[in-house]
Amino acid sequence: ESALLEIRQAGVNRQPSRVHQGIVDFGAPITDHEGHALAALTVPSLAKIESPVSEADLLRHLNQSARQIKEKLGSPAILE
């Protein structure tokens, strides 16, 4: 449960794929207006030495997309 609290506080999760070696999964929870998780938005990324998209950019876009979905579902921005 502490891992879920950390994800809730950070707004994102980053972990190596449990299925494929060399892939990192980035995820953001999609919550309702009460903060209950409804789904997760996940972006897999290949671990590359040089990538046109930085991890910081990927996380920023992931957060932005998750926030837009949450707003459409009526989740207040304060739960971010």
Side-chain angles (χ1 to χ4, degrees):
E1 192 160 310
S2 65
L4 293 176
L5 181 59
E6 288 178 30
I7 294 168
R8 182 178 289 252
Q9 290 172 341
V12 294
N13 184 40
R14 178 194 187 280
Q15 68 181 31
S17 173
R18 294 180 181 161
V19 179
H20 297 288
Q21 191 172 29
I23 294 179
V24 177
D25 294 325
F26 297 88
I30 304 298
T31 55
D32 65 11
H33 65 284
E34 294 180 344
H36 298 113
L38 300 174
L41 183 59
T42 303
V43 177
S45 178
L46 289 171
K48 295 178 10 179
I49 294 173
E50 289 188 33
S51 175
V53 178
S54 70
E55 185 172 310
D57 284 341
L58 189 147
L59 289 171
R60 185 172 47 79
H61 288 293
L62 178 63
N63 266 328
Q64 183 179 35
S65 296
R67 187 177 302 113
Q68 289 172 346
I69 293 169
K70 290 176 194 180
E71 288 172 359
K72 298 271 186 201
L73 294 173
S75 180
I78 197 165
L79 294 176
E80 300 299 320

